[in-house]
Amino acid sequence: MNVLTGDRKEFAAFTGKVESVVSSVTGHAKEGDIAGLRRLIANFKIKTEDFYRENRKLNIGVVGQVKAGKSSFLNTLLFDGKEILPKASTPKTATLTKMEYSEENVIQIEYYSPDEWDVLEDNAVVDLDDEIYTSAKEIVDMVKRNGIDPHPYLEKGLDQKKFDTYEDLISSLNDYVGEDGTFTPIVKAVTLYLNKEEFKGLSIVDTPGLNDPIASRTIRTKEFMEVCDVVFFLSQSGSFLDKSDWILLSSQLPQKGVKKLVLIASKYDSGIRDILRGRDDDDIFGDDENTTDDIPEACTIIKKKLKKRAKSKVEEFVKDLEMRGASSELIEVIRQCANPIMVSSLAYNMTGRSQEEYTSEEKNLYSALKQFSDDLDSDLKLLGNFDEVTELFDGVVTEKEAILEAKAKGFIPNALEELRNLLAGYLDKAEKRMKILKSNDREQLIGQKKVIENQMSSIKADIAAVFGELNAKLESERAEGIREIREASKDYLNIKERTGSVTRTGSYTTGHLWWKRTEVYSYEEHYSYCIAADAIENLRKYGIDASNQIEEVFSEAIQIKEMKRRLLDVVVNNFDMGSETYDSSLFRIMVEETISAIEFPVLDVDISDEINGIAGKFNGEITSASEKTELSTALSKAISRIYEELYKKLDDAVKKFKAELSVISHKTEESLLTNVTKEFEELLRQCDSKEKEISGYKEYAAILKKEIAKL
């Protein structure tokens, strides 16, 4: 990345500039001033290095139901149509697959933990017609059929396999994520590290589909989706934007973070084939606007229908989000779905190839389309429509680089401003010391020192009073914080009820004794269900909410700016009784650093045990009343445990912090007395060579002014 290389040169130039300032002031500046400049360089390096280490990747997620064509879409977009990523035909074999750049080609496999596998084995022996148990049985049976002992792999946790060619990759990958892969049933996630330039700066994830029966995989998907920048959401053209799509979108799309959402109407060829039909002179349908014998015209018809549906469904979804109080940011992201892109990976991969090279699936499509086309290669490209996707994909990558560039460009101006303020502060202190030396002789300084020492008892009493009030307020805020954490827990006890439908069939007999006919009919049965992922999301949100409320306990009790103002007022009110030439602002500087040392405690809330407890026990759709009650009870107990832990941690933190405040109070008093004594001793020493010291301050001030003027 040339831009980032250029930024690094600018960053190096800035640190060189500060080093030059250090050289200029050395011999004139106090040790504390030099140390401040060194800290500026160190902090600047930390910030810029963190930026490159943590923010260079563009996180792209591909979301859609099983059979939406996610793997085919990614194979076409990233691997020139080669079938690198295997297709998953059921939710049980769908695995979260991440792709990133690396100098070495490596497959990293993450297996289930032993605890997760124990739960799967327990569920596999339960004889109930529920997806939790049927999925577990299918996975455990698959392990037995494959003849592997899962436990060595489960204990290992992670595995790595190197590969040299795509053929090696396909072979290895099929073993771990293929529909019939030997290790597929025990794999939770896979990361492909690829030595391909196109992957530099990217992290692309093919996510499992809707209602993943393994809750721990849902958690991993959610974790990645939380940091996604761009999401490609795939919906099959034949069942475009059905209810399941919107449930998937609302459950997997994070409430913040995603800046671009691209709706893809996948398997475009399937929608086209539904309206293509041959016509003859005896055509009883006549001119039907919903059918055609021309592929480009069929594309126009289908595109119009899909766009109309997208616009209608987006507005419907937005209204629902507005009623639920969703953020305006999320609503704006959802609105981007109103303009879908129609693609067919299958058709696009057929372009430019001979029939002999077609797969069986491609041959079927060729047979279905050839009678309606005069130029099949051109029509396949029209159906594929991947040029639009590729252009958009390249665009979002470029857009991210522009954001990175803008962010990187902000480092230098901000650092220059920080340097300018630092030097201005040094100049202010130098001029104040020079003023005191000019305006006072040795006897006058000794007199002022005695006045200040006589007032120290009064200063200590005033400082103790400030900290005493803080202690009382902290205790009050602690009680309020505990009450709010308890009240907040009630908001996360309810688990969202979702609705689903299943198509059932029945039959009845009509006719007479000598003639009977059986009629078969189908009907849609609606049902309600819960998913463990919603309960887990409640736990996560409660943990965040409670942590924020704990932070407020300390920030509300000790409003740091107000505290500094009051303590500095103690200095001003007690020191402003000296001579007219005495400048109390010099001593305000002395206590500033001591007060700045106050840091609020940070309480880490570890809710992993609670999450794993629910993730391990509950999977897929939970439809029975007893299971729903069990999930609700488990959630209630988990929240209760989190509350009890937070209550204890907050109580301990307040006690500890109050003790720390007492220490800080004494330190403030001691620091003030020490700094005042040290400062006066320095000024008294300088009085012995007054003119020389004043001349030195003048030179230092002149150097500082010159350096500030350069910035």
Side-chain angles (χ1 to χ4, degrees), residues 104 364 390 489-490 530 544 692:
E104 279 194 307
N364 286 337
T390 303
S489 69
K490 298 174 184 176
C530 300
I544 293 170
K692 181 183 175 183

Side-chain angles (χ1 to χ4, degrees), residues 359-520:
T359 64
S360 58
E361 191 178 10
E362 289 169 344
K363 286 177 181 176
N364 286 337
L365 180 59
Y366 172 79
S367 298
L369 297 180
K370 65 179 180 179
Q371 60 180 307
F372 302 105
S373 178
D374 296 326
D375 184 352
L376 189 58
D377 207 57
S378 175
D379 286 341
L380 286 172
K381 190 171 183 181
L382 180 67
L383 280 173
N385 196 33
F386 250 87
D387 290 343
E388 186 176 355
V389 176
T390 303
E391 184 180 346
L392 189 145
F393 183 82
D394 292 341
V396 296
V397 173
T398 304
E399 184 182 332
K400 181 66 175 183
E401 291 304 314
I403 294 169
L404 285 173
E405 181 183 353
K407 192 169 184 178
K409 286 187 182 302
F411 281 121
I412 299 295
N414 293 340
L416 283 171
E417 184 64 23
E418 191 177 351
L419 176 60
R420 190 178 292 110
N421 292 336
L422 198 61
L423 296 180
Y426 295 165
L427 176 61
D428 185 47
K429 284 193 287 185
E431 289 179 337
K432 280 181 170 60
R433 290 191 176 102
M434 188 163 51
K435 179 183 174 184
I436 290 174
L437 280 174
K438 283 182 178 179
S439 305
N440 294 272
D441 57 25
R442 188 177 182 84
E443 286 72 24
Q444 287 172 310
L445 287 171
I446 291 172
Q448 284 196 47
K449 184 184 177 186
K450 285 181 179 178
V451 170
I452 290 168
E453 287 173 344
N454 290 336
Q455 290 171 235
M456 282 309 294
S457 59
S458 175
I459 290 169
K460 287 181 179 180
D462 287 349
I463 290 173
V466 171
F467 279 95
E469 288 179 26
L470 290 176
N471 270 325
K473 192 170 183 187
L474 183 59
E475 193 58 41
S476 171
E477 289 293 336
R478 182 194 69 85
E480 178 65 16
I482 288 171
R483 187 191 65 78
E484 288 182 354
I485 293 169
R486 185 173 59 249
E487 288 298 314
S489 69
K490 298 174 184 176
D491 297 335
Y492 297 101
L493 290 173
N494 295 323
I495 305 169
K496 180 165 53 177
E497 284 272 346
R498 298 174 178 270
T499 57
S501 61
V502 61
T503 302
R504 307 251 185 225
T505 58
S507 65
Y508 61 91
T509 303
T510 60
H512 307 284
L513 290 172
W514 61 90
W515 174 82
K516 291 183 180 181
R517 184 173 66 188
T518 300
E519 298 284 348
V520 178

